[in-house]
């Protein structure tokens, strides 16, 4: 089945959402909500995340965060796994807690940020779970409107200071804006482009040209916009095939390890899998019998001083990415 590749880069901001299996509950008690927030606090420290806003609903959650490293998949995998282990033990169950892969929307210009936090904080009101955002316990709303923040790790000040340095005034303005939008808000997600980018056309072009390193392919006008997504079919197989074609080697040679022999094509394959897919270092390394981090770092250093190698890497990435 087709699987979307994650767009990951240092400094990327995301709106993340994940639901329970079959849309079932993932939080059944106050202890569950509290444990998830404890895991989230640990994740933001462990993976150097900036968490701007969150809301935990009974059967799903929303996060607005920024990654200082290109590690969204690793961070969310750790978060959901840590919580799932707890949840299954506590409730005497087994199997997956969350349904499939989490959804991640890339968020562009900061002009979108404050509106996105309000959208997140108003989820309980829209769902009829609370008459007012301030009445719902399991969100970061109070971190925006109260001087004594319940969650010190929520970076609410960075969002509020976009309106000025007087935080007391910005908190009051934020509260008023949320009250004004409640029940009448135009969802910020109306500006979503290509199903996974929230930002201006300029930001979309930047993602396409600078992060993905390519121009968009020509498409039939009749193709639904919802299909304009980043996909991969068997990421490892696609990358191996593309690297073998670009470097004129066999796929067997890419999978074969020879001690003390530098195989740049093999290193490039590992580098692309690390930077353009959600595969973990452990899974990549086990497939090649080496530590993938070392190969990726080696390729980055070589490409920095060799434009032709960088171009070849971009061509391989281009052949497995689709917008």
């Amino acid at each position: 089945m087709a699987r979307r590749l994650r767009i990951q880069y240092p400094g990327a901001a995301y709106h993340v959402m994940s639901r329970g299996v079959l849309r079932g509950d993932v939080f059944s008690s106050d202890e569950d909500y509290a444990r998830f927030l404890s895991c989230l606090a640990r994740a933001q420290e462990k993976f150097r995340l900036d968490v701007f806003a969150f809301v935990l609903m009974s059967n799903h959650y929303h996060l607005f965060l920024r990654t200082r490293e290109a590690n969204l998949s690793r961070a969310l995998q750790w978060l959901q796994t840590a919580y799932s282990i707890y949840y299954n033990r506590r409730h005497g169950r087994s199997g997956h807690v969350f349904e499939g892969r989490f959804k991640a929307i890339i968020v562009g210009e900061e002009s979108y940020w404050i509106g996105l936090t309000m959208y997140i904080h108003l989820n309980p009101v829209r769902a009829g779970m609370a008459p007012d955002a301030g009445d719902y316990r399991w969100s970061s709303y109070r971190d925006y409107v109260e001087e004594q923040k319940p969650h010190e790790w929520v970076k609410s000040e960075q969002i509020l200071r976009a309106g000025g340095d007087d935080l007391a005034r910005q908190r009051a303005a934020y509260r008023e804006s949320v009250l004004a939008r409640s029940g009448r808000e135009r969802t910020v997600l109306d500006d979503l482009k290509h199903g996974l980018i929230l930002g201006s056309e300029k930001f979309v072009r930047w993602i396409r040209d600078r992060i993905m390193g390519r121009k968009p392919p020509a498409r039939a006008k009749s193709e639904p916009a919802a299909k304009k997504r980043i996909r991969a079919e068997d990421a490892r197989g696609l990358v191996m095939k593309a690297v073998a074609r670009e470097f004129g080697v066999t796929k067997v040679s890419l999978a074969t390890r020879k001690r003390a022999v530098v195989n740049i094509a093999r290193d490039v394959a590992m580098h692309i899998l690390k930077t353009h897919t959600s595969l973990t270092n452990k899974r990549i390394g086990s497939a090649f019998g080496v530590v993938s981090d070392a190969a990726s770092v080696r390729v980055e250093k070589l490409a920095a001083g060799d434009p032709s190698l960088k171009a070849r890497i971009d061509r391989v990435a281009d052949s497995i990415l689709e917008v």
Side-chain angles (χ1 to χ4, degrees), residues 194 205 208-209 212 214-219 318 322-323:
H194 307 309
R205 288 194 298 271
R208 185 188 67 209
D209 299 339
M212 296 173 62
R214 55 171 290 178
K215 297 292 183 181
R219 292 181 176 274
D318 176 85
E322 171 180 317
V323 176

Side-chain angles (χ1 to χ4, degrees), residues 6 45 86 127 232:
R6 299 289 188 199
E45 179 182 4
Y86 151 81

Side-chain angles (χ1 to χ4, degrees), residues 130-253:
D132 179 82
D135 295 324
Y136 192 72
R137 181 178 177 186
W138 305 108
S139 84
S140 54
Y141 175 75
R142 288 184 296 157
D143 295 295
Y144 281 75
V145 300
E146 296 180 5
E147 184 176 357
Q148 296 298 319
K149 295 168 52 178
H151 314 97
E152 286 300 320
W153 42 270
V154 172
K155 309 294 186 183
S156 53
E157 296 86 355
Q158 293 190 33
I159 304 296
L160 293 171
R161 283 203 170 100
D165 290 331
D166 187 335
L167 283 178
R169 180 176 296 177
Q170 298 311 316
R171 290 190 190 100
Y174 189 88
R175 182 186 295 108
E176 292 175 5
S177 294
V178 170
L179 285 172
R181 291 185 182 210
S182 183
R184 298 181 297 277
E185 75 273 14
R186 167 186 172 274
T187 174
V188 67
L189 298 186
D190 288 346
D191 291 328
L192 194 63
K193 297 176 177 65
H194 307 309
L196 78 167
I197 302 176
L198 178 62
S200 67
E201 291 295 344
K202 181 179 179 181
F203 179 71
V204 173
R205 288 194 298 271
W206 182 82
I207 287 288
R208 185 188 67 209
D209 299 339
R210 295 291 299 279
I211 302 304
M212 296 173 62
R214 55 171 290 178
K215 297 292 183 181
R219 292 181 176 274
K221 291 184 178 180
S222 61
E223 183 176 4
K227 291 187 177 180
K228 295 181 180 179
R229 306 224 178 174
I230 298 176
R231 295 188 173 96
E233 299 172 17
D234 182 4
R236 180 172 174 269
L238 281 177
V239 171
M240 296 278 277
K241 182 178 180 181
V243 170
R245 182 173 58 246
E246 174 65 33
F247 287 82
V249 297
T250 65
K251 288 191 287 185
V252 173
S253 71

Side-chain angles (χ1 to χ4, degrees), residues 5-14 67-71 106-108 196-197 202-216 230 271-272 274-277 300 310-311 313-323:
L5 290 171
R6 299 289 188 199
I7 297 180
Q8 301 184 104
Y9 59 92
Y14 302 92
T67 57
R68 299 187 208 176
E69 303 171 19
N71 62 351
I106 305 169
V107 185
L196 78 167
I197 302 176
K202 181 179 179 181
F203 179 71
V204 173
R205 288 194 298 271
W206 182 82
I207 287 288
R208 185 188 67 209
D209 299 339
R210 295 291 299 279
I211 302 304
M212 296 173 62
R214 55 171 290 178
K215 297 292 183 181
I230 298 176
H271 172 69
I272 291 175
K274 175 179 171 58
T275 56
H276 288 289
T277 78
E300 287 180 353
K310 183 179 184 307
I313 294 170
D314 288 344
R315 280 196 294 272
V316 173
D318 176 85
S319 68
I320 64 168
L321 291 172
E322 171 180 317
V323 176

